[in-house]
Amino acid sequence: MNQLKESTYLYSSENRDLYHHVLDQFNNNDCVFSRNLMAFIESPQNEPGPFYSRHINECGQCQAKVRAFSQTLKNVRKLIPENSPPEGFNAQVSPEIQEALKFLKKRIKVEENKNLLFSRDFVRQAIIDFFTIGLRSQTFFKGIALAALSTILVYIFV
Amino acid sequence: MEALTHKHYGLAFILLPDELMATQLLIDSISRLVLTMENGFDEDESRLEIDFVTHLISLARIRQKHFAYKKEDPFFKLSFDERVILYLRDKRQYPVSFVASVLEGREERVLAASHQARANLLAHNGQEWESSC
């Protein structure tokens, strides 16, 4: 309560020394960078980056925070179970995987055949179209005539 | 593919804590993977792993609704997603991007959820998250 009554305005020039004293104390108790430290340690890259890596080496406050965090993380890890595959796991799983792989090979073969079939069909259809539609079309003959005329003109003038 | 099932047995078990269920889950995830592999045997290995774990999680999510288990372990009191996030991120140390991919979510969401999951796990174990963290 006494402290509240005796509050002092720190930003005035006559209290400059007091201001720096308070700031030093504040920084000694809680490094300003440590407030964002966890966000950088927990960054998606899983590393704090060059500034924080250097800062952690120099700052006791941040080192303490990192130590506390690492300890908590260790406690968390201890509580997460890890189970190895049971005996005979491979014998159980392998035949099923081989079966699945056989299916995959079959699927790839079917897809390849489908592509081949598609290209064969395409060529066959093109030939049929040429003889059934192309030869009967007036546009087709006009096109041929135009192409022939262009070729003759090129021969004459070039 | 066998290496994948071996590597992710632990994950399958924390999702469906039963040897038989976990093994079946892995087999079914491989079958699903084979059905959806677009590039056949030329599939990129890291892509293959992400797809495999994604299938595993989505299948387990469906099956766990019909699978009742009683485990006193505080870890099994966590939600399905919290278990996935803690196991992959803190136990197996996979990058956040991997966890976000297999959960089909955003990295920021995974970071926030992992923080919450750690606090929940410690609380279930009667411990407190270090306040300075």
Side-chain angles (χ1 to χ4, degrees):
Chain A
M1 288 297 274
N2 281 343
Q3 277 177 340
L4 276 178
K5 278 176 195 165
E6 290 166 12
S7 64
T8 313
Y9 184 64
L10 287 171
Y11 299 102
S12 59
S13 52
E14 61 265 26
N15 285 331
R16 200 165 61 186
D17 291 341
L18 183 61
Y19 166 77
H20 283 292
H21 174 71
V22 170
L23 188 65
D24 283 347
Q25 275 206 323
F26 180 73
N27 282 340
N28 286 337
N29 289 332
D30 184 17
C31 166
V32 279
F33 295 116
S34 74
R35 289 167 214 159
N36 295 328
L37 185 65
M38 284 309 124
F40 284 92
I41 286 179
E42 286 271 81
S43 73
Q45 288 77 32
N46 270 346
E47 51 184 53
F51 172 78
Y52 271 90
S53 300
R54 205 171 53 238
H55 177 72
I56 290 166
N57 285 333
E58 293 161 358
C59 176
Q61 299 283 324
C62 289
Q63 282 168 14
K65 273 208 167 192
V66 171
R67 267 198 303 276
F69 178 71
S70 306
Q71 186 52 50
T72 312
L73 215 53
K74 261 187 205 165
N75 294 341
V76 167
R77 281 191 192 124
K78 274 185 210 157
L79 294 171
I80 306 171
E82 178 67 289
N83 293 279
S84 307
E87 224 175 282
F89 176 77
N90 279 347
Q92 202 177 348
V93 170
S94 269
E96 303 250 12
I97 291 176
Q98 294 314 316
E99 202 58 35
L101 289 178
K102 258 191 229 166
F103 174 79
L104 180 62
K105 276 181 197 160
K106 215 173 176 178
R107 206 195 79 191
I108 291 169
K109 212 173 177 182
V110 168
E111 273 167 19
E112 280 172 358
N113 284 343
K114 213 187 270 176
N115 289 340
L116 195 70
L117 216 64
F118 174 75
S119 56
R120 269 189 208 153
D121 280 353
F122 182 77
V123 172
R124 205 184 62 183
Q125 195 56 46
I127 294 167
I128 292 169
D129 285 352
F130 178 78
F131 286 108
T132 54
I133 306 165
L135 291 180
R136 271 189 251 147
S137 154
Q138 273 195 359
T139 318
F140 176 76
F141 281 109
K142 280 179 190 166
I144 294 277
L146 198 65
L149 188 66
S150 312
T151 317
I152 291 164
L153 286 175
V154 167
Y155 265 109
I156 293 170
F157 291 106
V158 179
Chain B
M1 294 233 177
E2 274 149 359
L4 269 181
T5 55
H6 224 271
K7 190 174 178 184
H8 291 291
Y9 179 83
L11 175 65
F13 194 88
I14 60 121
L15 298 178
L16 299 175
D18 175 89
E19 275 185 11
L20 199 64
M21 290 285 278
T23 307
Q24 194 55 48
L25 179 64
L26 290 161
I27 291 169
D28 294 342
S29 307
I30 287 284
S31 304
R32 241 194 189 200
L33 182 71
V34 163
L35 279 173
T36 53
M37 274 162 75
E38 283 174 4
N39 301 323
F41 292 102
D42 301 328
E43 201 80 56
D44 174 54
E45 251 179 61
S46 59
R47 185 70 247 165
L48 208 64
E49 185 175 10
I50 291 176
D51 287 347
F52 175 71
V53 177
T54 309
H55 288 313
L56 192 143
I57 290 169
S58 75
L59 278 175
R61 201 186 290 281
I62 300 166
R63 289 180 191 178
Q64 53 115 24
K65 291 174 194 161
H66 313 288
F67 176 62
Y69 59 87
K70 260 193 174 178
K71 286 253 179 193
E72 292 308 310
D73 197 320
F75 181 76
F76 288 99
K77 289 178 184 156
L78 295 174
S79 73
F80 184 87
D81 280 359
E82 284 179 329
R83 274 182 282 154
V84 173
I85 290 170
L86 279 194
Y87 181 81
L88 289 176
R89 195 160 141 63
D90 288 346
K91 192 77 177 179
R92 303 293 299 274
Q93 314 215 321
Y94 273 96
V96 181
S97 56
F98 180 90
V99 185
S101 295
V102 297
L103 283 174
E104 293 164 303
R106 288 161 57 128
E107 291 187 8
E108 309 87 77
R109 169 86 192 81
V110 170
L111 280 173
S114 68
H115 200 76
Q116 186 61 51
R118 286 172 193 153
N120 288 346
L121 178 59
L122 289 173
H124 286 313
N125 199 45
Q127 290 170 277
E128 252 185 63
W129 181 257
E130 184 65 52
S131 58
S132 64
C133 297

